[in-house]
Each structure stands twice: as C-alpha cells, then as structure tokens.
Amino acid sequence: MAPAMVLAAARPPSPNITTEVFSYSNHTDVKRFNPCSSAAVVANDAFMFSVANISTTAEEYVVSPLQLPLVLNWTIGGGNCHAAKTEQTCLCKENSECYDPPWEDGYRCRCWTGYEGNPYIAPGCQDIDECSVAELNECKEPATCENTNGGYKCKCPQG
C-alpha cells in the first residue's frame, strides 16, 4: 500500500510559506475511514512518517496529542539593517541592536549583552540586575556586587 498522505513544505525566498497537501492515486489506496489529507509545519527531521499515521484516527490524536517542535525563521522587511537605519524604519528599541541574519533577507533585533526583554516593543530591553541573583555574578565575600547598566562590578572593601 502506498502512503496515503505526503507532507511537503516549501521554503520560498519570499516571506510567504507554502504548504502543499496531496495524496498518491487520489486517495484510492487509503482505507475507507481516512479519505482526508492533513499537513503541519514542523522542524526539519522532527516527524518520521509511518504506517501508523495512516491508521491513527483524529480522535486518537486528541487523547494522545502528537507534539512536534515548530521552528519559524523570520526577518523584518526585505532590506538589511543599514537600509532600515538609513530610511529610519528600523524597529529595534532601546538597549538593542539590529543584525542581519546570514542567508536571509531582512533584519532582526536582539538585546545587548546584560539586557533582556522584547527589543521590538517599547521600552525595549531592560537591564538585568546581576546582583539580585548570586549565579549571575562572580563577586565573592567580602566584595559586594554593584549593578551597572548591562553588567555589574565587584567592589572590595577598603583596607
């Protein structure tokens, strides 16, 4: 028996994602209870098609859901950081930087080292207080931790 469903996802150069669902022999080789096709976008190599996928009913997936990782690569616009900054259209907010992902059109934003948050939404990335969590700093007694913008300092007592 030929596979009843084929999952195919194309990665076109445009920002659109195309997913195609089709069946060999117009479903003629599929059991009568399963005249349908389905598709899902998942991470590469996360799903291995098997005969069990043909015989498993939708109700069985509700009881025991199939969970697969999904990876979406995305960028902003079709130009690079330089173009976005020149045109004053760069969406990166405070304490973040614009970068050009390799092999992709468009740009992304990321928080500077020592900052966290969403670099696309005001007020942008916020300073991490490394002194509030011992694992985030290397200050040892008798030194005290002093938080700084994007980092920290260990201050030793005088003497």
Side-chain angles (χ1 to χ4, degrees):
M1 177 189 292
M5 88 179 143
V6 175
L7 305 179
R11 184 178 173 194
S14 72
N16 298 319
I17 297 174
T18 303
T19 303
E20 183 179 346
V21 181
F22 59 92
S23 171
Y24 294 114
S25 306
N26 196 25
H27 297 287
T28 56
D29 294 330
V30 183
K31 293 181 180 180
R32 290 184 186 168
F33 70 86
N34 189 7
C36 302
S37 292
S38 61
V41 180
V42 298
N44 268 353
D45 304 323
F47 179 75
M48 181 75 86
F49 183 82
S50 73
V51 176
N53 299 117
I54 298 170
S55 60
T56 303
T57 64
E59 290 80 18
E60 290 175 286
Y61 282 121
V62 170
V63 173
S64 179
L66 182 62
Q67 296 180 357
L68 299 168
L70 170 64
V71 177
L72 295 177
N73 282 341
W74 58 276
T75 58
I76 298 171
N80 59 20
C81 288
H82 178 74
K85 289 176 183 176
T86 301
E87 297 164 5
Q88 297 182 341
T89 58
C90 184
L91 297 177
C92 301
K93 302 298 182 204
E94 289 186 52
N95 305 315
S96 68
E97 63 184 350
C98 181
Y99 73 99
D100 299 316
W103 307 292
E104 295 181 46
D105 293 332
Y107 69 91
R108 291 190 192 120
C109 305
R110 63 180 161 217
C111 293
W112 292 338
T113 301
Y115 291 81
E116 64 185 356
N118 189 330
Y120 304 100
I121 299 173
C125 302
Q126 304 300 304
D127 176 55
I128 298 170
D129 184 357
E130 293 87 356
C131 297
S132 65
V133 179
E135 291 79 28
L136 297 180
N137 69 73
E138 296 178 1
C139 298
K140 306 290 183 219
E141 293 281 340
T144 57
C145 184
E146 181 181 306
N147 191 56
T148 62
N149 287 332
Y152 66 94
K153 293 178 185 176
C154 297
K155 296 191 88 172
C156 294
Q158 289 186 0

